[in-house]
Amino acid sequence: MQNMNNAILYFINGIGTSFAIISFLQHYENKINTSIKKHLLFWGTNTLIILCTNNLIIEIVRLIDWKLTNSILLNNGYIGHLIFFLIITILEIPTIKLLEGKFK
């Protein structure tokens, strides 16, 4: 999507993709494994916490990566980005557990 040079097509593509994912999940809601459904509900119900803390955690991990390894995660392509994503995801879980239920 980022290679589109047309803002209108970019937004139409993003909205269409969102509707497609929602439609797909609604159609297969009763057929999805309960374990998968549990994980999707965990991340879905805590999206506000993730939205608020994600950038802070990304910048902290990026600073640590820069200081300790001279940005090895960001300079190693897909493998580095995957490891970076996994680190961020693992750090989000305790943050969610800490803040869960505080803003209801």
Side-chain angles (χ1 to χ4, degrees), residues 21-81:
I21 291 170
I22 290 169
S23 297
F24 176 78
L25 290 174
Q26 281 180 339
H27 186 266
Y28 290 105
E29 182 176 10
N30 296 327
K31 299 173 186 170
I32 295 176
N33 186 353
T34 56
S35 174
I36 295 171
K37 192 182 290 188
K38 185 177 122 184
H39 289 293
L40 287 174
L41 285 173
F42 173 76
W43 291 104
T45 56
N46 294 301
T47 53
L48 187 59
I49 295 171
I50 294 168
L51 181 68
C52 294
T53 60
N54 192 33
N55 198 31
L56 180 65
I57 293 174
I58 286 173
E59 291 303 322
I60 290 170
V61 171
R62 190 178 290 169
L63 180 65
I64 291 170
D65 179 39
W66 175 69
K67 286 283 191 184
L68 297 180
T69 64
N70 200 20
S71 297
I72 197 167
L73 292 177
L74 295 178
N75 295 329
N76 277 328
Y78 290 123
I79 299 297
H81 293 153

Side-chain angles (χ1 to χ4, degrees), residues 86-97:
L86 292 174
I87 291 170
I88 299 301
T89 305
I90 289 168
L91 289 176
E92 280 289 350
I93 293 171
T95 306
I96 290 171
K97 294 291 186 187

